[in-house]
Amino acid sequence: MAEGKQPGQPDASNFVLLEELDQGEKHGDGRCSYGLEDPNNDTMMYNWTGSIFGPQHTPFDNQLYQLRIYCGDRYPVEEPKVQFVTRITMPGVDAQTGEVSFKDIDGLERWSRKYGIAHVLRCLYNKMLRRESRVRQIPGPDFPLPK
């Protein structure tokens, strides 16, 4: 623990997450949104939730997909861990666990500390629009993955 830092007190790296929280609360685009999972108890801002509203005229149309996002203590240097909670069949997403493989998602294959949660969600939304995602049959969102 850094000298002079109290337990549970955010350090300088959390300012990136504070900016992202502000961005997520004020600048949603109607397709993707995100926020802290438990803002009252997650002082380190590690656990986030996200949602993507499925693009029109795709197999994902009019479905709301929920995600868990974990930004560890090395974020944004290291990519966050992202998992669909709502079951989805899409290239780059493990069908059993919902875990997202960044190497298989355009725009995420080479993580940069300049990226953020909004960028991750936009890239996943764009993947839903791609031809290889459109031809797949997907289970409905009524089958959430186990916690």
Side-chain angles (χ1 to χ4, degrees):
M1 183 179 310
E3 189 174 319
K5 182 177 176 266
Q6 299 297 316
Q9 178 185 4
D11 58 25
S13 64
N14 290 91
F15 289 113
V16 170
L17 291 170
L18 281 171
E19 289 177 23
E20 290 201 53
L21 180 60
D22 183 58
Q23 187 80 2
E25 290 176 342
K26 294 181 180 175
H27 304 289
D29 65 5
R31 298 175 296 178
C32 304
S33 63
Y34 61 94
L36 283 172
E37 187 174 296
D38 185 358
N40 295 322
N41 294 315
D42 188 3
T43 58
M44 298 306 292
M45 296 180 285
Y46 287 164
N47 298 294
W48 296 70
T49 60
S51 60
I52 301 173
F53 194 68
Q56 290 185 332
H57 312 296
T58 71
F60 311 100
D61 193 358
N62 288 323
Q63 297 181 44
L64 183 64
Y65 293 90
Q66 299 292 327
L67 300 95
R68 282 193 193 113
I69 304 158
Y70 177 77
C71 301
D73 57 359
R74 299 270 306 135
Y75 180 84
V77 174
E78 292 179 2
E79 65 195 40
K81 305 294 183 231
V82 179
Q83 176 188 25
F84 277 86
V85 175
T86 309
R87 193 173 298 260
I88 187 170
T89 301
M90 184 172 80
V93 179
D94 184 290
Q96 299 301 313
T97 66
E99 291 178 13
V100 175
S101 170
F102 280 30
K103 67 180 177 64
D104 297 321
I105 307 294
D106 291 340
L108 297 177
E109 64 272 16
R110 290 189 195 107
W111 180 256
S112 168
R113 68 180 301 138
K114 296 177 191 172
Y115 298 162
I117 295 170
H119 178 77
V120 170
L121 295 176
R122 279 192 304 270
C123 288
L124 290 169
Y125 180 90
N126 290 338
K127 183 73 167 184
M128 291 175 170
L129 293 169
R130 300 206 33 140
R131 171 169 252 128
E132 73 261 20
S133 299
R134 289 175 166 234
V135 297
R136 295 189 174 255
Q137 294 296 317
I138 60 168
D142 299 326
F143 304 101
L145 295 167
K147 293 185 179 191

